[in-house]
């Protein structure tokens, strides 16, 4: 039995998805205020095209100021996950039952920079307990995410995946914990994919134990840099950062947690780092088609997008010493599934996902820039290749901003134009940030083949045969809705995008 509070805590997820195929779960219909809002919302959305202003102010007032899924420009289902005590109480677990559970650690593959004190390694992750939730309870919880689809109607493999993800979300976070790691040279990165990123090497030594300073945050998170001691091993020492161009691999095992292993990278001060988003560039998500996006995120096995694995494999072998860093704003709770897919499909590398303390709306909007700033500041002399797609409004703003904020550090920006190949993408995107940037530095591309035959190391990042069609303003709006219609609302395109998507959805009812 699951109490209704837990269902209410994830209600915003449901409201985040205005789509015809999606009928809210019955439990949610009975929720007092927000559900009334949902029906009103439908009425108002019906005449959205004639009264955009009415809708946008309505969205603001009913759903609060700038709900994050609106502000992101696209429905965002991975929102408002439950935290510590709400999971415990909703599953009816006593403190004794919690105490008896083993402690698990999500240890996110990270990176080190070379400093006056030697290698400075970042430790980032989360300490939690995984309750033994029954299949029935997981089904009930999964159904809330799978709006409009009953989990039992899915094929067995998809049911397992949906329960697996749901279980990862419904964990009990452990604050105030001490965390200790054991470090060893890594022969390869775990998983069946290509081992290592960009020909990274195994150091000769460096085995040691490290204890984090202080304890985990209330959300169970940790994130800190600690210098590594230069200890010798059977094969010698760690190579100094100014004595090699190759990233070195270290395994970082969390003491006391069998699933707390990660491979981290010691990355030299100079060289190339590829920072890659994952959804709709490395895998098919269709985040801009809410019903499909939900199933692709919660139930279906992750599928690579076209030939992208070939492109990355080529970059990994033809751009020696390249460091791969996967930077997505998907919440930390689902990181394991993303890592599992990436390491089976793409070159090994470090990871960044949304930390748990980024929960309120303004914080949600700032995550990508926060994560980008962190890695740029860690490597002030490295050059970065930024890869993503046009369906994220934060990418469209933050990627070009890195060009001005960190002069000479951005080598290339590659953005898949999801609207050009996918008629299901009705969301506009804003290219104004690219005005004034040298065309050689960036490319809006349609299919992975467009990325062939570039000379990335010499800064030739544009394939002249790929039509750019960049207006340096908002573009890609369907049905000839004009820019002025949206600017009249004074709210910008995010809200307009929501309104348009909503009108498309409900028009079909
Ligand atoms: C390498 O870095 C160390 C520590 O910063 C410094 O002591 C040493 O002189 C450097 N070596 C070279 C060749 O620059
Ligand atoms: C989890 O619960 C199921 C039955 O509810 C039981 O069969 C299983 O042994 C439990 N697993 C653990 C690790 O406690
Ligand atoms: C964490 O370590 C400190 C000493 O560094 C100790 O006082 C404290 O009891 C430890 N906390 C836990 C939960 O083990
Ligand atoms: C690390 O700690 C373990 C005990 O947990 C100990 O057996 C091992 O020798 C330590 N390793 C180093 C390199 O200090
Ligand atoms: C560690 O010490 C060895 C021997 O002094 C030296 O060759 C190596 O460069 C040092 N490595 C680091 C990472 O400081
Ligand atoms: C690792 O944890 C075990 C108990 O789980 C403890 O005995 C050991 O001292 C720990 N090692 C370190 C290096 O903290
Ligand atoms: C993590 O590493 C430890 C130590 O090598 C190993 O025993 C354990 O099986 C590993 N866990 C996973 C999930 O690979
Ligand atoms: C879910 O799947 C991932 C990836 O296969 C795995 O690492 C993880 O342990 C699973 N989680 C649960 C709660 O079963
Ligand atoms: C989250 O925590 C990190 C440190 O772990 C901090 O730098 C960041 O500002 C925090 N963000 C928010 C939104 O609280
Ligand atoms: C290493 O990274 C830390 C954390 O981002 C940063 O504060 C520091 O300036 C970096 N050091 C160097 C030498 O780049
Ligand atoms: C592989 O990557 C290299 C370096 O970017 C590039 O020169 C080469 O053309 C690529 N090969 C293909 C088939 O794209
Ligand atoms: C170029 O963009 C405009 C505005 O988004 C669009 O109407 C047009 O179809 C696009 N043309 C091509 C060739 O992609």
């Amino acid at each position: 039995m699951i109490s209704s509070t837990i269902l209410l805590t994830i209600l915003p997820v449901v409201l985040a998805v205005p789509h015809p195929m999606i009928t809210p779960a019955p439990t949610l219909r009975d929720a007092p205020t927000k559900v009334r809002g949902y029906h009103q919302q439908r009425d108002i959305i019906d005449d959205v095209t004639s009264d955009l202003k009415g809708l946008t102010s309505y969205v603001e007032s009913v759903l609060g100021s700038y709900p994050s899924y609106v502000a992101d420009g696209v429905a965002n289902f991975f929102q408002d996950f439950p935290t510590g005590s709400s999971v415990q109480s909703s599953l009816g677990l006593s403190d004794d039952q919690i105490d008896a559970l083993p402690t698990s650690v999500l240890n996110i593959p990270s990176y080190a920079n070379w400093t006056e004190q030697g290698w400075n390694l970042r430790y980032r992750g989360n300490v939690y307990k995984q309750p033994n939730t029954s299949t029935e309870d997981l089904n009930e919880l999964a159904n809330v995410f799978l709006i409009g689809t009953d989990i039992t109607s899915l094929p067995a493999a998809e049911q397992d995946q949906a329960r697996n993800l749901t279980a990862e979300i419904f964990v009990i976070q452990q604050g105030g914990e001490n965390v200790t790691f054991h470090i060893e040279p890594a022969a390869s990165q775990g998983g069946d994919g290509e081992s290592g990123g960009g020909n990274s090497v195994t150091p000769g030594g460096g085995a040691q134990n490290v204890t984090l300073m202080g304890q985990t945050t209330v959300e169970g998170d940790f994130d800190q840099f600690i210098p590594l001691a230069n200890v010798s091993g059977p094969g010698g020492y760690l190579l100094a950062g100014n004595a090699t161009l190759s990233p070195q691999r270290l395994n970082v095992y969390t003491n006391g947690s069998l699933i707390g292993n990660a491979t981290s990278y010691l990355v030299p001060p100079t060289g190339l780092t590829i920072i890659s988003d994952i959804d709709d560039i490395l895998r098919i998500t269709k985040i801009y088609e809410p019903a499909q996006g939900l199933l692709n995120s919660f139930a279906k096995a992750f599928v690579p997008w076209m030939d992208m694995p070939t492109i990355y494999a080529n970059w990994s072998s033809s751009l020696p010493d390249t460091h791969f860093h996967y930077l997505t704003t998907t919440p930390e709770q689902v990181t394991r599934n993303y890592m599992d897919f990436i390491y089976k499909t793409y070159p090994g590398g470090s990871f960044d996902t949304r930390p748990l303390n980024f929960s309120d709306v303004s914080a949600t909007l700032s995550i990508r820039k926060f994560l980008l700033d962190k890695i740029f500041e860690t490597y002030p002399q490295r050059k970065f290749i930024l890869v993503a797609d046009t369906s994220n409004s934060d990418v469209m703003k933050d990627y070009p901003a890195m060009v001005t904020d960190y002069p000479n550090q951005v080598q290339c920006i590659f953005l898949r134009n999801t609207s050009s190949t996918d008629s299901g993408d009705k969301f506009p995107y804003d290219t104004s940030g690219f005005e004034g940037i040298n065309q050689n530095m960036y490319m809006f591309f349609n299919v992975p083949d467009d990325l062939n035959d570039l000379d990335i190391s010499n800064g030739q990042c544009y394939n002249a045969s790929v039509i750019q069609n960049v207006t340096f303003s908002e573009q890609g709006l369907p049905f000839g809705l004009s820019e002025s219609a949206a600017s009249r609302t004074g709210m910008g395109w995010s809200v307009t995008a929501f309104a348009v998507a909503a009108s498309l959805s409900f028009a079909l009812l």
Side-chain angles (χ1 to χ4, degrees):
M1 253 312 275
I2 298 164
S3 82
S4 58
T5 36
I6 201 77
L7 296 171
L8 285 175
T9 60
I10 43 187
L11 181 63
V13 175
V14 176
L15 290 171
V17 184
H19 196 277
M21 314 314 169
I22 299 173
T23 312
T27 346
L28 297 164
R29 285 236 155 109
D30 304 329
T33 50
K34 296 233 172 160
V35 168
R36 183 156 28 86
Y38 175 80
H39 289 298
Q40 285 170 3
Q41 184 187 343
R42 286 178 40 171
D43 294 343
I44 289 176
I45 287 168
D46 281 342
D47 49 32
V48 56
T49 43
S50 62
D51 190 5
L52 210 50
K53 176 107 171 93
L55 177 85
T56 50
S57 54
Y58 173 77
V59 166
E60 255 202 327
S61 64
V62 170
L63 301 181
S65 55
Y66 285 94
S68 50
Y69 61 90
V70 171
D72 282 349
V74 177
N76 186 351
F77 353 99
F78 284 139
Q79 279 300 316
D80 300 295
F81 288 167
T83 48
S85 62
S86 65
V87 172
Q88 179 177 351
S89 57
S90 65
L91 295 174
L93 296 170
S94 69
D95 289 348
D96 285 349
Q97 284 171 304
I98 304 281
D99 288 346
L101 292 169
T103 300
S104 297
V105 177
L106 170 67
N107 183 7
I108 300 177
S110 198
Y111 49 71
N113 65 350
W114 179 244
T115 71
E116 301 277 300
Q117 288 76 46
W119 288 109
N120 187 36
L121 181 59
R122 185 178 177 197
Y123 300 85
R124 160 119 167 69
N126 182 260
V127 180
Y128 64 94
K129 292 192 175 210
Q130 179 76 66
N132 184 15
T133 313
S134 70
T135 301
E136 292 70 30
D137 281 356
L138 284 176
N139 284 350
E140 192 180 332
L141 291 167
N143 276 342
V144 178
F145 291 118
L146 296 170
I147 304 152
T149 303
D150 191 299
I151 186 169
T152 55
S153 70
L154 297 172
E158 295 184 12
Q159 290 190 31
D160 284 344
Q161 160 94 351
R163 279 189 291 266
N164 170 299
L165 257 165
T166 304
E168 308 223 311
I169 292 164
F170 286 86
V171 296
I172 299 154
Q173 295 148 359
Q174 303 290 301
E177 293 286 326
N178 297 322
V179 189
T180 301
F181 302 96
H182 177 64
I183 291 172
E184 275 181 18
S188 69
Q189 180 140 18
D192 307 325
E194 186 193 338
S195 59
N199 309 324
S200 61
V201 299
T202 309
Q208 59 197 278
N209 292 329
V210 171
T211 299
L212 293 188
M213 296 171 287
Q215 283 84 41
T216 53
T217 65
V218 285
E219 297 100 352
D221 262 358
F222 54 85
D223 184 5
Q224 52 187 267
F225 281 88
I226 299 179
L228 283 170
N230 183 20
V231 287
S232 71
Y237 290 88
L238 295 174
L239 296 172
N242 52 8
T244 181
L245 291 173
S246 303
Q248 299 169 71
R249 284 187 302 264
L250 289 177
N251 278 339
V252 180
Y253 303 107
T254 315
N255 193 28
S257 172
L258 282 180
I259 57 169
N261 301 346
T263 301
S264 291
Y265 293 84
L266 312 185
V267 182
T270 61
L272 283 176
T273 290
I274 294 175
I275 297 184
S276 183
D277 189 27
I278 297 174
D279 287 306
D280 288 313
I281 176 75
L282 301 188
R283 80 169 185 107
I284 300 172
T285 311
K286 293 185 184 280
I287 202 144
Y288 37 79
E289 289 183 54
Q292 200 54 47
L294 265 173
L295 283 177
N296 288 341
S297 296
F298 277 99
K300 299 199 181 292
F302 285 12
V303 175
W305 177 58
M306 298 182 76
D307 275 346
M308 281 309 274
T310 312
I311 299 289
Y312 273 47
N314 176 47
W315 286 353
S316 177
S317 59
S318 67
L319 300 170
D321 302 326
T322 300
H323 164 218
F324 284 81
H325 183 66
Y326 299 94
L327 188 156
T328 159
T329 56
T330 203
E332 199 170 282
Q333 289 95 324
V334 297
T335 306
R336 281 191 203 285
N337 299 69
Y338 277 69
M339 293 194 302
D340 190 57
F341 165 73
I342 289 294
Y343 296 145
K344 282 179 176 149
T345 323
Y346 290 99
S350 47
F351 246 83
D352 255 321
T353 47
R354 178 195 309 187
L356 290 164
N357 65 340
F358 281 81
S359 51
D360 70 42
V361 171
S362 65
T364 300
L365 284 176
S366 67
I367 300 162
R368 196 177 304 268
K369 189 66 163 65
F370 171 86
L371 298 173
L372 286 167
D373 282 341
K374 186 114 172 175
I375 187 164
F376 271 66
E377 281 161 9
T378 303
Y379 301 104
Q381 298 173 68
R382 286 185 78 85
K383 304 260 192 187
F384 294 91
I385 293 149
L386 307 176
V387 192
D389 70 281
T390 52
S391 73
N392 301 88
S393 63
D394 55 352
V395 162
M396 297 307 292
K397 188 158 59 68
D398 298 342
Y399 274 16
M402 301 317 279
V403 177
T404 28
D405 292 357
Y406 299 86
N408 299 319
Q409 280 197 264
V410 176
Q411 181 95 345
C412 308
I413 300 179
F414 296 124
L415 289 170
R416 173 193 168 198
N417 183 342
T418 43
S419 309
S420 78
T421 48
D422 202 331
S423 57
D425 184 358
K426 307 293 185 203
F427 286 91
Y429 53 98
D430 183 351
T431 51
S432 58
F434 288 84
E435 190 152 26
I437 296 180
N438 182 341
Q439 174 72 71
N440 270 342
M441 270 180 73
Y442 69 90
M443 176 165 61
F444 287 84
F445 68 99
N446 305 308
V447 292
D449 275 358
D450 295 344
L451 296 168
N452 282 334
D453 303 324
L454 299 170
D455 188 1
I456 290 175
S457 29
N458 289 309
Q460 179 55 49
C461 314
Y462 169 53
N463 175 344
S465 71
V466 181
I467 296 168
Q468 293 298 282
N469 196 21
V470 170
T471 62
F472 304 116
S473 61
E474 295 83 1
Q475 54 186 111
L477 201 66
F479 301 142
L481 269 181
S482 73
E483 206 175 306
S484 56
S487 53
R488 267 206 314 275
T489 70
M491 297 194 62
W493 284 101
S494 319
V495 173
T496 313
F498 169 78
V500 169
S503 67
L504 290 173
S505 309
F506 286 97
L508 296 168
L509 278 175

